[in-house]
Amino acid sequence: ASDGTTTVDPRVPVVDISALPPVSVPVLRSMELAREHGPAFLQRLHGREMLLVSSLELVEELADEERFTKAIGPALQNVREFTGDGLFTAYNDEPNWARAHDILMPAFALGSMRTYHPVMLKVARRLIEAWDRRSAAGLTVDVPGDMTRMTLDTIGLAGFGFDFGSFERDEPHPFVEAMVRCLDWAMTRQTRNPELDHSERDAAFRRDADYLAGVVDEVIAARVASGAETGPAEDLLGLMLGAVHPVDGTRLDIENIRNQVITFLIAGHETTSGALSFALHYLAKHPAELRRVQQEVDALWGDQADPDPSYEDVGRLRHTRQVLNEALRLWPTAPQFSREAREETLLGGRIPVRPGLPIFVLTTMLHRDPAWGDNPELFDPSRFDPEREAARSPHAFEPFGTGERACIGRQFALHEATMLLGMLVHRYRLIDHCDYRLTLKQTLTIKPDGFTLALAPRTPAP
Ligand code: HEM
């Protein structure tokens, strides 16, 4: 159409949400709209359009990399204001994406987790010390808050040798507070009324973004000054400073490295901490599942007071891993990802889509597709039994996105989260002291809001 909007098949619902009041958890509204308008509808917001897609059938088509690719839609363009050409927000055809991807891929292969394992364990023990202290004093624990401390310290140390020391602080590290405000700016900027003045918020955002860049520049400068970048690449920063591209021999430039560090700090902690928090929530609510996970860890670590999980142990925690998967099915903590057509085409044989139209996959709805059976709201880790998994489309479960732009940190997240979850259920009884009712908090990623647990040491199994 001449006004820049899409000509849609009349059977595709068009929903203009510009007049609706802004909501604090956009994913819930998208889910509601999808329930009302079906597996594909065109959403308009202040003249901008995006297609929202929920069904497995359509997502399988969108996963075809010949026809579709990652879109940097409005939300990611906003994040790009502070992560630039880092992996997550780089355009597909930007040379720095492929360069960084090729250089960093080996650092994220499953085998590389052996390198990060000791650091992950060290930080897991910081969390356990903090939880022991609180439970001994009869205090409850702030689950999402402490999971975020744990994942941030882990990616800081494993990635860049930078210690946020989060467990020694009552308030989050200022870096985290600035990062959360930047993410909030990126999320709410999309829904702004264009007629109002937003310059004050934009200036505050700019200050936060400059602060993030400043902190990271100091970390990089310290590493360069130490001369360590010429040594073996024992963490991501060392790798980025030292590595040359395997084929063309180029290196990452300093500005790109800064963008990658900010990207990894953001992408590498909020999502994993949310996944752990949801998993603990479901375990606290499902004693039979909790018992099953406890049996698994007891079989490995018996009644040792302080087990020393090995790298191999983490691979043996199959049921623990299924619990995490099931938590990520119900609440994929990066609740959507976007695609766009490489050329004009018909999605599902009926919906005209063109390059430039962002197509959002509502992962929360995909994960409730009829392919999951009659009771998709039910927490049931046996959905991830190997036989049942093999019988399902690989695209029915996409918490890490799809294609070559899928999550590079998947193994990192799963190793870190599986180990910690195993250690926690081995050590504590999880007491749902306030009969917590799940509510979500969204800052692009989602997590349980205000979720606390009381803890008690487990008595050794008879
Ligand atoms: C990309 C989810 C943990 C680094 C993605 C994407 C998703 C995702 C859905 C694709 C986004 C898109 O298509 O636009 C998750 C979840 C995690 C997790 C649910 C935890 C449970 C991590 C960790 C790291 C990480 C621990 C780093 C250590 C990245 C990066 C990208 C990415 C760099 C961009 C990859 C590229 O485009 O080349 N993640 N992630 N993520 N993730 Fe993760």
Side-chain angles (χ1 to χ4, degrees):
S2 57
D3 63 355
T5 55
T6 316
T7 313
V8 279
D9 180 301
R11 286 168 301 176
V12 179
V14 180
V15 183
D16 196 320
I17 64 165
S18 315
L20 299 178
V23 285
S24 58
V25 189
V27 66
L28 292 180
R29 176 152 79 193
S30 300
M31 290 171 78
E32 218 176 280
L33 292 174
R35 289 197 170 101
E36 188 181 340
H37 299 287
F41 65 94
L42 197 72
Q43 178 175 286
R44 289 209 176 118
L45 176 60
H46 304 311
R48 274 197 315 254
E49 294 187 326
M50 53 181 91
L51 188 71
L52 270 66
V53 169
S54 305
S55 70
L56 174 57
E57 189 196 357
L58 295 178
V59 171
E60 282 183 320
E61 212 177 309
L62 292 173
D64 179 352
E65 294 264 272
E66 307 260 296
R67 290 176 62 209
F68 296 93
T69 183
K70 166 160 169 160
I72 307 289
L76 289 190
Q77 273 165 23
N78 293 340
V79 177
R80 213 185 133 91
E81 296 282 324
F82 58 106
T83 57
D85 62 358
L87 276 178
F88 180 55
T89 43
Y91 294 109
N92 295 307
D93 53 6
E94 214 163 351
N96 273 349
W97 177 77
R99 189 175 295 145
H101 176 82
D102 293 349
I103 288 177
L104 291 169
M105 270 305 269
F108 284 103
L110 180 59
S112 300
M113 297 312 124
R114 211 178 268 285
T115 318
Y116 310 123
H117 180 84
V119 172
M120 290 177 176
L121 189 55
K122 171 173 154 174
V123 180
R125 289 194 166 124
R126 286 185 182 177
L127 174 102
I128 284 176
E129 267 172 41
W131 279 21
D132 279 359
R133 274 199 305 273
R134 286 194 72 84
S135 75
L139 299 170
T140 61
V141 294
D142 162 12
V143 177
D146 283 342
M147 292 303 132
T148 302
R149 288 184 167 89
M150 195 288 297
T151 51
L152 181 75
D153 281 14
T154 302
I155 185 66
L157 281 169
F160 318 105
F162 182 78
D163 194 348
F164 284 98
S166 304
F167 288 101
E168 280 137 44
R169 301 167 183 273
D170 291 334
E171 296 304 317
H173 192 287
F175 189 91
V176 179
E177 290 182 322
M179 187 154 81
V180 167
R181 285 193 298 269
C182 285
L183 286 169
D184 188 58
W185 177 86
M187 185 172 83
T188 50
R189 192 183 188 212
Q190 303 173 75
T191 55
R192 279 178 178 181
N193 181 340
E195 279 148 34
L196 302 178
D197 175 18
H198 303 279
S199 53
E200 221 166 280
R201 289 204 68 186
D202 290 347
F205 161 74
R206 203 26 73 201
R207 281 193 298 278
D208 280 330
D210 289 347
Y211 168 74
L212 295 183
V215 171
V216 169
D217 285 350
E218 273 174 39
V219 173
I220 298 175
R223 180 69 64 92
V224 172
S226 76
E229 87 275 17
T230 49
E234 82 292 355
D235 65 10
L236 294 174
L237 182 56
L239 186 76
M240 289 192 282
L241 286 166
V244 289
H245 187 278
V247 178
D248 64 19
T250 54
R251 288 166 177 267
L252 301 181
D253 60 73
I254 283 290
E255 198 176 326
N256 181 256
I257 292 176
R258 172 215 278 171
N259 289 334
Q260 304 296 0
V261 174
I262 297 176
T263 297
F264 280 108
L265 288 174
I266 295 173
H269 90 285
E270 281 271 318
T271 42
T272 313
S273 86
L276 275 161
S277 305
F278 284 115
L280 285 164
H281 159 68
Y282 284 111
L283 286 176
K285 292 288 183 191
H286 293 83
E289 296 299 338
L290 175 59
R291 185 79 206 112
R292 187 112 50 100
V293 184
Q294 282 170 336
Q295 278 163 354
E296 178 171 80
V297 291
D298 289 352
L300 268 185
W301 302 324
D303 53 15
Q304 294 174 61
D306 290 299
D308 194 16
S310 66
Y311 167 82
E312 286 77 15
D313 281 352
V314 179
R316 295 187 186 108
L317 296 177
R318 297 238 177 95
H319 197 75
T320 312
R321 174 76 171 262
Q322 286 183 224
V323 165
L324 269 171
N325 277 348
E326 179 65 347
L328 277 170
R329 180 187 69 83
L330 282 162
W331 297 111
T333 47
Q336 53 197 26
F337 60 93
S338 48
R339 308 284 289 166
E340 75 180 296
R342 289 184 190 270
E343 284 168 23
E344 269 183 42
T345 182
L346 287 178
L347 177 64
R350 66 190 172 93
I351 307 164
V353 290
R354 54 171 166 80
L357 173 73
I359 307 174
F360 273 85
V361 173
L362 292 178
T363 317
T364 46
M365 292 306 286
L366 169 71
H367 290 175
R368 287 162 172 78
D369 185 272
W372 291 95
D374 292 339
N375 293 305
E377 294 297 338
L378 198 75
F379 175 76
D380 175 9
S382 78
R383 296 178 200 275
F384 291 91
D385 287 350
E387 331 66 84
R388 291 180 69 184
E389 234 186 336
R392 219 169 24 235
S393 159
H395 298 295
F397 184 58
E398 296 283 33
F400 295 100
T402 188
E404 64 173 6
R405 300 295 303 267
C407 183
I408 200 172
R410 176 185 193 141
Q411 302 296 348
F412 190 101
L414 291 173
H415 192 87
E416 174 186 22
T418 306
M419 177 164 73
L420 181 72
L421 198 57
M423 290 170 81
L424 294 178
V425 299
H426 182 255
R427 191 173 190 87
Y428 301 113
R429 286 170 49 216
L430 308 177
I431 302 164
D432 180 19
H433 66 108
C434 59
D435 192 18
Y436 175 71
R437 296 293 300 266
L438 182 62
T439 48
L440 302 191
K441 183 175 165 69
Q442 183 168 4
T443 49
L444 280 185
T445 68
I446 50 174
K447 52 182 56 170
D449 193 19
F451 172 40
T452 61
L453 278 174
L455 304 168
R458 279 179 73 212
T459 43

